[in-house]
Structure formats: structure tokens, C-alpha cells
């Protein structure tokens, strides 16, 4: 089982007192599930909280991770990969319709999918469990396609 984690600290004004709010945001894989978390604490008042969620992280968290760490690109290792296990894995992991899974599979076999390194590691692990070989590499330039 793959373990991946990525985080970043974000500062903003505290809504309670106007002081500096520090949020530690992250994305990780826990027991095979993609998860995200936020811990926030004001440096000037008692305002503090923690929250966690599963599956796609809120866009603010994703964008902060991509800005800090860059994107990762996942591709199928060979063009000869059978489409059936790829479609099954995509439908299971990302909860896609068959049409959405076909579009995503086409991207995987072509230009690749781009996202946070944790998202791509999670998808790569799900494909590996179905005996689908992939390559994962940093993506110097990225334009994300959402399916």
C-alpha cells in the first residue's frame, strides 16, 4: 500500500480578531483512501479548529498544494494496456460514469492526467491493484482537465 502526504502552511487574516491565522493544509493517503485535512490557529486569539475529509480536497487546498509543490503527471506505462481494467479502476476510484472513465482513460494513454502528487499516487495505486502499469513524474507545466 502506498503512503503519500503533502502539505503547506497558508496565512490569512483571522475573521474573529483580524490577527494572523495560520492554516496547515494537506492531502494524504490513509488506508488506501485519498484524504485531506486543515488545521487552523490564530496567533492572536483562541480561534482554532481542525477538519478532515475524504476524496477530492476542496479546491483551495488543491491550488495551495499545486502552487507550493507543483503538479504530477500520471500516464499509462504502455499504449498496449487493456482498457477494461483501466475503466474499472477509474470508475471505482473516481466514481466516474462509463463515458467519463473513457475520456479519462484516453487522457491517461495520451498526454496523461495532472494533479497533486498525492492524487496521482492514489490513482496509480488503484491502477496497480488492477495490474495496470503507470508512470508518475513531475509536470513542469500543467493545465488540469477535470472530468
Amino acid at each position: 500500500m502506498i503512503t503519500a502526504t503533502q502539505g503547506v502552511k497558508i496565512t490569512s487574516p483571522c475573521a474573529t480578531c483580524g490577527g494572523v491565522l495560520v492554516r496547515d493544509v494537506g492531502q494524504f493517503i490513509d488506508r488506501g483512501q485519498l484524504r485531506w485535512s486543515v488545521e487552523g490557529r490564530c496567533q492572536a486569539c483562541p480561534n482554532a479548529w481542525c477538519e478532515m475529509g475524504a476524496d477530492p480536497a476542496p479546491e483551495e487546498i488543491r491550488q495551495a498544494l499545486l502552487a507550493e509543490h507543483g503538479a504530477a503527471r500520471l500516464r499509462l506505462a504502455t499504449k498496449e494496456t487493456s482498457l477494461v481494467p483501466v475503466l474499472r479502476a477509474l470508475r471505482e476510484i473516481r466514481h466516474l460514469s462509463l463515458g467519463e472513465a473513457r475520456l479519462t482513460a484516453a487522457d491517461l494513454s495520451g498526454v496523461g492526467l495532472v494533479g497533486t502528487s498525492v492524487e496521482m499516487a492514489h490513482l496509480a495505486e488503484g491502477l496497480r491493484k488492477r495490474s495496470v502499469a503507470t508512470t508518475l513524474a513531475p509536470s513542469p507545466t500543467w493545465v488540469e482537465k477535470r472530468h
Side-chain angles (χ1 to χ4, degrees):
M1 188 175 296
I2 241 174
T3 302
T5 187
Q6 198 171 56
V8 65
K9 289 191 187 302
I10 303 171
T11 59
S12 60
C14 176
T16 304
C17 74
V20 177
L21 180 68
V22 178
R23 290 177 292 154
D24 188 5
V25 301
Q27 203 175 38
F28 57 98
I29 299 171
D30 181 33
R31 296 182 194 114
Q33 188 172 19
L34 182 62
R35 300 192 59 83
W36 58 269
S37 67
V38 178
E39 290 182 36
R41 178 173 304 276
C42 179
Q43 295 180 337
C45 77
N47 185 15
W49 79 98
C50 177
E51 63 181 296
M52 292 178 63
D55 293 321
E59 197 59 28
E60 180 183 21
I61 293 173
R62 292 186 75 256
Q63 292 305 317
L65 293 171
L66 290 167
E68 179 72 17
H69 301 287
R73 184 178 304 274
L74 181 69
R75 291 186 176 116
L76 297 178
T78 66
K79 299 280 186 193
E80 295 80 35
T81 301
S82 171
L83 192 58
V84 173
V86 174
L87 292 175
R88 283 186 179 153
L90 289 170
R91 294 190 73 199
E92 178 183 301
I93 296 164
R94 290 204 164 171
H95 313 289
L96 301 175
S97 70
L98 183 56
E100 292 168 328
R102 286 180 191 265
L103 288 172
T104 303
D107 288 344
L108 268 172
S109 64
V111 297
L113 294 180
V114 176
T116 69
S117 64
V118 177
E119 291 165 344
M120 295 301 102
H122 179 252
L123 185 53
E125 176 69 5
L127 289 163
R128 187 197 61 75
K129 287 180 180 176
R130 297 230 181 235
S131 300
V132 175
T134 59
T135 61
L136 183 60
S139 181
T141 58
W142 58 279
V143 175
E144 184 175 16
K145 286 180 91 174
R146 284 279 183 143
H147 296 288

